[in-house]
Amino acid sequence: MVKAKTTFVCQSCGQESTRWIGKCPGCQSWNTFVEETSVARPKENTVRGLVANTDEPVLLKDIAPGREERYKTGMAEFDRVLGGGLVAGSVTLIAGDPGIGKSTIALQAACLLSTQGLKVLYVSGEESTAQTKMRADRILNKTANSLFIVNQIDVNIIVEFINKLEPDVVVVDSIQVVYQSGLESSPGSVSQVRESASLLTQMAKSRGMAMFLIGHVTKDGAIAGPRVLEHIVDTVLYFEGERYSAYRVLRAVKNRFGSTNELGVFEMTSSGLAEVSNPSEIFLSERAKQSSGSVVVPILEGTRPFLVEVQGLVARSAFGMVRHKAQGFDANRLALLVAVLEKRVGIRLEDQDIFLNVVGGVRVEDPAADLGVALAVASSFLDKPVPSDIAILGEVGLSSEVRSVAHIVTRLNEAEKLGFKRCIMPKNNIKPRSDIKLKTLELIPVADVRAALDYIRK
Ligand code: TYD
Ligand code: MG
């Protein structure tokens, strides 16, 4: 028999509790628990629903290697983030703030896949079919003739459509409006979202079709967030961007079929999302030449190199307490680099306010940016500009040594491609390797921060 049970569920991460609690022990957010009545299904049924088959254990060496079928959307940025195309039978969650462009990118991918002859079903729960058509007309110049659109939110009916149509790819926009009529809790609640998503996921797996689920990120916890779904799906992509900028970044945070930290850059235009194949150009486009405190660092996000501008500003403190502020860079790391400059290089910064900014809203976690940050601070303090044709690379250790960085060739190539003439880089990166082949970029190997600074002061 079906019996109802009352539980309290965190709307942010899905943690359950038998009583109401103020602070979620799972995700540490406050006031996110709400009461939910979920229908507990008979145990036997649940087990059978989740375990798809009853295979006996077999020896790993005896298993024939499966072939991974991948569909390419043709949007190189999108395919790369997916790990080289969309895997048949996989479920991908595209999460992001409302209005960021999730429906746009999903529809764009759907259109492109259908122009290759794949049968695509786009389930829109938020917009009418006419609205979706208008959007498709804006973003596509070719006709997509195997793309089906339906406006539906009942998951059982969606499953029926899928059974009838047998599509290769399904998009569900969004998972938060989809509901299962058998469940008592309201659409958008954790149990609804979780049940609907796992039902659709099983469907995708058993039919071998690729599925996109779209999920809104909400801070106030009114609707169950995508974190509830992260463990159900194969791939989680976050679509991010500054509200007032046209640039959008698609980031893989979980990927069973590729590398995470892979990143795709798009620009929102009047005809949909355009790929930005060379983001470094944007990040460097407004750079003031010959200004002290500005340096360029080739960082790596996933496998992709980026050149970003790092700005330092050092000013005499007006108060007794000095301020150290960092935007887009770890404040503790900045403090460490400042200490290295003071103690090992002899730059007296103790009565100075220090501000650091990574341009373009980028967050740099790559240790290869250390030397760039140290030189940005030193350059501002000494009021000595770093020549604009120099890129800077290197991790800095506590005794001010410049340590080697990973993927040096990729980084140097990117710097050369963007027209840099010189690169200050770790000495240790040069010694054992012979695969650094560059045409115009001059390498300036340094062993410590002082050597790098001496080069710039010269
Ligand atoms: P949308 O994909 O609806 O966002 P989400 O599904 O994440 O809520 O699109 C968001 C914004 O993008 C919307 O404000 C309008 C804008 N937009 C364009 O600028 N150009 C376009 O071609 C399209 C389709 C949308
Ligand atoms: Mg939408």
Side-chain angles (χ1 to χ4, degrees), residues 51 60 98 122 136 143 209 227 348 390 405 410 431:
V51 181
L60 178 67
Y122 191 102
T143 37
M209 63 187 184
R227 290 187 51 192
R348 304 186 60 87
I390 296 187
V405 300
T410 320
K431 268 191 290 176

Side-chain angles (χ1 to χ4, degrees), residues 252-330:
V253 295
K254 165 180 174 179
N255 195 346
R256 288 195 182 136
F257 307 106
S259 129
T260 52
N261 298 322
E262 220 30 285
L263 187 134
V265 183
F266 297 89
E267 183 183 1
M268 184 61 97
T269 68
S270 57
S271 55
L273 288 156
E275 294 178 65
V276 176
S277 47
N278 203 342
S280 301
E281 273 167 15
I282 302 163
F283 294 135
L284 298 184
S285 61
E286 287 172 47
R287 186 171 179 223
K289 298 258 151 70
Q290 300 300 334
S291 125
S292 71
S294 158
V295 304
V296 171
V297 181
I299 58 160
L300 217 60
E301 285 271 3
T303 55
R304 165 165 230 194
F306 266 87
L307 295 191
V308 292
E309 179 185 354
V310 176
Q311 297 175 328
L313 182 65
V314 178
R316 220 189 141 71
S317 178
F319 310 102
M321 274 268 285
V322 295
R323 287 173 297 172
H324 289 183
K325 294 252 184 292
Q327 182 82 40
F329 190 77
D330 181 31

Side-chain angles (χ1 to χ4, degrees), residues 55-72:
D55 282 352
E56 295 286 316
V58 287
L59 282 169
L60 178 67
K61 66 181 175 64
D62 293 343
I63 302 173
R67 213 172 54 81
E68 203 177 69
E69 198 182 341
R70 285 193 190 253
Y71 308 133
K72 297 253 194 239

Side-chain angles (χ1 to χ4, degrees), residues 97-104 135 138-139 268-272:
D97 290 329
I100 202 80
K102 299 180 297 298
S103 303
T104 308
R135 190 197 297 258
R138 282 173 74 177
I139 61 182
M268 184 61 97
T269 68
S270 57
S271 55

